[in-house]
Amino acid sequence: MMPLIIITLVLLWQFVLVGYTFTLAGNAADEAVRAGTASEGQSACEEAGLQHLPDAWQGDAGVQCGADGGYVTAVVTLRVPVLFPGAIGFPFTVEGHAGAVQEEKD
């Protein structure tokens, strides 16, 4: 019975990591767009997206920002870690998307 309990706990922990990675990707995309709407450069958007990620998720993270017609978008791509953040990751990625209208400067 003990191996079944351990396997169940390991699977539950892995599902928690998948959910947390989705949450981190969405939050980082929101923060990246917020920085991108307040500034003129894409670099501020990308830096803000990476800044709002824990160190264990920053290694393979990808932040892509774009502006088109006054609308700023950000896509954050993260790898889901296997059991321990900062260790190996699954071969698939999780994406967070966000968008907002560019702020006007007076």
Side-chain angles (χ1 to χ4, degrees):
M1 188 68 170
M2 191 63 155
L4 185 59
I5 293 172
I6 291 173
I7 290 171
T8 302
L9 290 175
V10 167
L11 288 175
L12 285 174
W13 174 246
Q14 189 59 57
F15 288 133
V16 166
L17 283 176
V18 170
Y20 186 56
T21 304
F22 270 104
T23 302
L24 287 175
N27 182 56
D30 289 340
E31 294 295 335
V33 164
R34 186 172 297 131
T37 59
S39 68
E40 291 293 326
Q42 263 186 312
S43 64
C45 177
E46 293 170 357
E47 287 174 14
L50 289 175
Q51 180 184 7
H52 287 88
L53 291 172
D55 293 336
W57 275 267
Q58 284 184 359
D60 293 327
V63 180
Q64 298 173 354
C65 297
D68 185 32
Y71 189 72
V72 179
T73 59
V75 178
V76 176
T77 306
L78 300 177
R79 289 180 57 127
V80 178
V82 177
L83 296 181
F84 301 103
I88 61 172
F90 282 111
F92 60 89
T93 58
V94 168
E95 289 187 353
H97 302 267
V101 177
Q102 182 78 35
E103 293 180 8
E104 291 185 19
K105 298 189 178 183
D106 293 328

